[in-house]
Amino acid sequence: MKSALFILPFALVPFFANDFWLVQIFGRALILGVIALSLTFLAAYLGVVSFAQATMAGVSGYTVAYFGPNSVDVGRELPFYVVLPLAIIMATLSGVIIGLIARRSQGIYAIMITLAVGVAFFYFTRQNYTYFNGWTGFSGIRAPEIAGTNLRDPLPFYLLIISVAMLCLMLVNGFIKSPLGLTIQAVRDAPKRVLAIGIPTTPVIVSAYAIAGFIAGSGGILNVWYQERISSFSVGLGPIVDILVIAVIGGLKHPIGAFIGALAFVLLDTFAVDFIDRERFNTLIGLVLLAIIMGAPDGLHGLAKSWLARFKKRVAENQV
Amino acid sequence: MPISHDHKTANALEIQGVGRRFGGFWAVKDVSLSVRPGERRAVLGPNGAGKTTLFNVLTGDLVASAGTIRMDGADVTQTPMHKRIKGGLRRTYQHAHLFDGLTIRETLFLAVSGVAGGWQRFLPLKPNDDAIGKAENLAGMAGLSSDLDREVANLSHGQRRQLEIGMALAETPKMLLLDEPAAGLSPSERPRLAELLLSLPKDITIVLIEHDMDIALRTSDSVSVLHNGRLLAEGSPENIMSNEAVHNVYMGGAHGH
Ligand SMILES: Nc1ncnc2c1ncn2[C@@H]1O[C@H](COP(=O)(O)OP(=O)(O)OP(=O)(O)O)[C@@H](O)[C@H]1O
Ligand SMILES: [Mg+2]
């Protein structure tokens, strides 16, 4: 539970930040953080690096687009209180399907197989016009108005984002201490041994992916409201890699790494263009990634943790 | 599971012509043996004799390349491991592989709820959960009560072995396969292990692989000797100790004891 407190400082942002910082920087960082949390969750507790987060987020995003207000003439509108649970269920189901496909794969094979699923989904959305409107996708997607509060307004939207981020972190922190959460970690540590205590591993792995789908799906709804559009490019290689980069920069060992990485990524993504041109951004991100992998394999979270430990040690020494 | 046989007459373990091949090499070949309910059987044999491989086939860690395995009269040759475990079989591993990221309490909790059910729950545990109480009892039996919240990665070699045994005792097994439980234990820890084995309920069938002759013979009422994957001799501890073929195998230098 303690680490959910990490999100609290984000709650202070509305007191001093303008709408740009509120939504484009901190809001966007928290949204990407939720989607990356899905990856970090699988990496930290199931021990599998998955490339399908943008896909699962896309499934809920497309559900919201298809069944919600949009400016292309595809889909049919349902009330938001039907659409939102439906979007989450679809994303969770996509997690189940990906889990069933990837359940026997680990390491590089899990990466390849989830990447293959992601790329297949990307091509499918490009070619299917009935449900995905091809490569143009959907635009004019609007967040609903609930009880007189318009979720398109910066402050309510930001408060929603921060609540979702907080809830997802608390979900992960609570879940990993539940029997199923412990079993998932047991599968990470010694899958054969899990069988030897009477537990079949497939349902364990699939449920981990289902939770990853649930989390990514929550982020996917926020993301489609933030972007106000979704198309095959939203589930293409670019976003797939972005999520991975965020998770790795932040650190794969701990859930809050996802949010640290997302904030770093959004700051770079937003302000690096002031120093270098757009095309060079990928080079910059690549260099940052390289520096992290070589200098701090546990990401910024790991780095901060070891600095803190060193600092505490020094304070303790000075007191003696 | 409806099983159409008479429990009273069925052997706890009955294997026939069991073999396991790695490529062209038979690590276990044509082994047949039967173990009565409640029997304590030691399996001896030099390094590489095929003892661990035989266990792996009995539990389902590996599939048998030949032969049939019956437990309590039911054919389990094709049964997945986790189902055999649910049916009352437990084992320990020669080289402990454990859940390094969990604590002792969490590990034993999973061992209990793996068999008794309940591992599927996804709400945080209450400290008064039934299975946690059982896990703490197991820790007591295995001599780990003082380290319940220790992370498994930080345990000593001896503690890891003890945890292996604690896990295997979850929910009172019908049959226990112990693969060199004394290996790596200090001389002072060994008698405790023997005591623990002797103190287990008499209706638990135990098959024990053990290089420590003292423990093996003290805790067993019958012995099977494996050599080059085949069953070399079988009998009471006294018979085996005076068996010439067994002596030749052990004196042949394949084994140091
Ligand atoms: N997975 C495997 N692949 C190939 N060969 C194997 C495998 N497992 C065991 N073997 C071989 O099978 C033979 C029997 O090995 P096993 O581990 O069953 O012997 P053991 O009697 O348990 O020996 P020890 O006393 O050293 O534990 C050995 O020659 C071993 O190299
Ligand atoms: Mg062995």
Side-chain angles (χ1 to χ4, degrees):
Chain A
M1 285 302 121
K2 219 173 62 188
S3 67
L5 296 178
F6 169 83
I7 298 289
L8 274 185
F10 283 84
L12 300 175
V13 171
F15 292 107
F16 58 82
N18 59 25
D19 286 353
F20 169 77
W21 277 86
L22 193 63
V23 177
Q24 315 265 343
I25 304 293
F26 289 101
R28 185 175 167 225
L30 287 171
I31 293 172
L32 291 175
V34 170
I35 301 174
L37 174 64
S38 163
L39 192 156
T40 308
F41 166 75
L42 285 178
Y45 303 114
L46 187 63
V48 166
V49 175
S50 135
F51 268 46
Q53 268 61 34
T55 308
M56 300 189 281
V59 167
S60 71
Y62 269 114
T63 308
V64 167
Y66 185 87
F67 291 109
N70 65 56
S71 58
V72 299
D73 211 15
V74 176
R76 53 185 276 238
E77 216 171 313
L78 297 176
F80 74 88
Y81 53 83
V82 176
V83 177
L84 297 187
L86 184 66
I88 296 282
I89 290 169
M90 296 294 282
T92 308
L93 276 180
S94 75
V96 168
I97 292 167
I98 293 166
L100 282 171
I101 296 171
R103 71 184 189 277
R104 290 191 203 286
S105 317
Q106 274 177 341
I108 184 82
Y109 299 102
I111 291 176
M112 297 302 289
I113 207 158
T114 50
L115 180 64
V117 172
V119 171
F121 185 65
F122 165 74
Y123 280 110
F124 184 67
T125 58
R126 284 192 83 140
Q127 283 151 16
N128 181 292
Y129 282 83
T130 328
Y131 301 108
F132 296 95
N133 200 30
W135 65 272
T136 21
F138 297 82
S139 51
I141 299 159
R142 282 169 292 133
E145 224 180 272
I146 301 177
T149 310
N150 191 341
L151 287 178
R152 263 162 287 158
D153 291 339
L155 187 60
F157 188 41
Y158 182 76
L159 292 178
L160 174 71
I161 294 169
I162 198 169
S163 314
V164 172
M166 191 93 143
L167 284 174
C168 286
L169 254 183
M170 281 164 60
L171 172 84
V172 168
N173 284 334
F175 173 74
I176 56 162
K177 289 293 168 197
S178 72
L180 184 57
L182 292 173
T183 312
I184 288 172
Q185 295 170 77
V187 169
R188 169 200 64 196
D189 291 342
K192 272 252 160 178
R193 197 68 175 85
V194 172
L195 292 171
I197 56 173
I199 302 175
T201 49
T202 297
V204 181
I205 294 170
V206 170
S207 53
Y209 275 94
I211 289 182
F214 179 92
I215 296 170
S218 309
I221 295 175
L222 298 174
N223 199 39
V224 79
W225 285 345
Y226 170 83
Q227 305 278 355
E228 299 182 348
R229 58 196 156 82
I230 188 167
S231 70
S232 46
F233 296 104
S234 320
V235 295
L237 211 50
I240 288 177
V241 172
D242 285 350
I243 296 301
L244 181 77
V245 166
I246 287 170
V248 171
I249 289 182
L252 289 172
K253 286 243 171 85
H254 196 284
I256 67 173
F259 294 95
I260 298 174
L263 189 58
F265 179 88
V266 169
L267 288 173
L268 272 177
D269 188 37
T270 311
F271 296 110
V273 274
D274 295 346
F275 308 106
I276 56 170
D277 51 278
R278 200 66 242 181
E279 285 77 61
R280 298 256 166 81
F281 177 69
N282 284 339
T283 316
L284 176 71
I285 265 291
L287 288 175
V288 170
L289 193 62
L290 203 63
I292 292 276
I293 290 172
M294 297 183 55
D298 292 340
L300 293 177
H301 171 258
L303 209 57
K305 213 169 118 183
S306 68
W307 279 341
L308 204 66
R310 223 177 299 166
F311 175 75
K312 274 189 190 153
K313 201 173 145 213
R314 189 159 322 153
V315 170
E317 276 166 1
N318 287 347
Q319 277 171 349
V320 177
Chain B
M1 212 194 305
I3 296 170
S4 56
H5 65 269
D6 186 349
H7 276 279
K8 295 241 164 53
T9 56
N11 274 317
L13 178 68
E14 173 101 42
I15 68 175
Q16 231 147 52
V18 162
R20 169 68 203 199
R21 196 175 49 190
F22 297 110
F25 168 69
W26 289 87
V28 170
K29 177 100 175 130
D30 199 21
V31 171
S32 303
L33 52 83
S34 43
V35 181
R36 282 175 291 107
E39 190 178 334
R40 307 296 162 102
R41 171 75 56 95
V43 175
L44 304 181
N47 293 109
K51 307 180 294 294
T52 297
T53 305
L54 177 64
F55 267 24
N56 284 338
V57 171
L58 295 181
T59 53
D61 276 281
L62 295 173
V63 288
S65 313
T68 55
I69 304 163
R70 290 177 165 275
M71 283 174 188
D72 274 342
D75 188 334
V76 297
T77 316
Q78 305 297 330
T79 309
M81 171 157 52
H82 66 93
K83 292 203 174 136
R84 298 188 204 185
I85 303 297
K86 276 221 151 79
L89 176 69
R90 308 279 191 286
R91 76 169 293 181
T92 65
Y93 288 82
Q94 182 174 3
H95 303 287
H97 43 154
L98 299 168
F99 312 136
D100 278 347
L102 305 187
T103 64
I104 289 180
R105 190 199 312 270
E106 290 166 344
T107 301
L108 293 172
F109 165 80
L110 283 190
V112 170
S113 43
V115 181
W119 59 267
Q120 303 91 335
R121 289 173 291 162
F122 53 84
L123 292 177
L125 271 176
K126 297 205 174 63
N128 62 358
D129 192 282
D130 218 25
I132 293 203
K134 288 177 174 176
E136 287 168 1
N137 280 343
L138 287 173
M141 287 177 82
L144 292 167
S145 288
S146 51
D147 292 299
L148 276 166
D149 290 310
R150 212 77 184 267
E151 210 173 90
V152 171
N154 300 327
L155 298 184
S156 71
H157 180 79
Q159 287 175 312
R160 291 174 76 87
R161 317 265 352 159
Q162 285 164 278
L163 183 55
E164 276 277 348
I165 293 179
M167 291 169 79
L169 292 178
E171 295 299 272
T172 320
K174 280 193 207 153
M175 178 153 50
L176 198 52
L177 309 184
L178 302 171
D179 195 346
E180 299 199 29
L185 292 190
S186 70
S188 64
E189 290 167 322
R190 282 161 185 259
R192 264 212 64 225
L193 177 72
E195 291 313 317
L196 173 65
L197 295 184
L198 288 169
S199 73
L200 293 175
K202 291 296 164 228
D203 51 348
I204 300 182
T205 312
I206 300 180
V207 183
L208 171 76
I209 299 175
E210 189 49 73
H211 281 319
D212 184 323
M213 283 293 180
D214 188 44
I215 294 183
L217 300 180
R218 224 180 107 201
T219 55
S220 319
D221 29 58
S222 58
V223 179
S224 302
V225 181
L226 279 184
H227 181 48
N228 289 337
R230 290 172 182 274
L231 200 59
L232 180 75
E234 205 165 47
S236 67
E238 298 77 35
N239 278 341
I240 293 299
M241 290 307 278
S242 56
N243 182 309
E244 204 176 322
V246 174
H247 265 268
N248 289 341
V249 166
Y250 273 85
M251 296 305 140
H255 190 264
H257 282 275

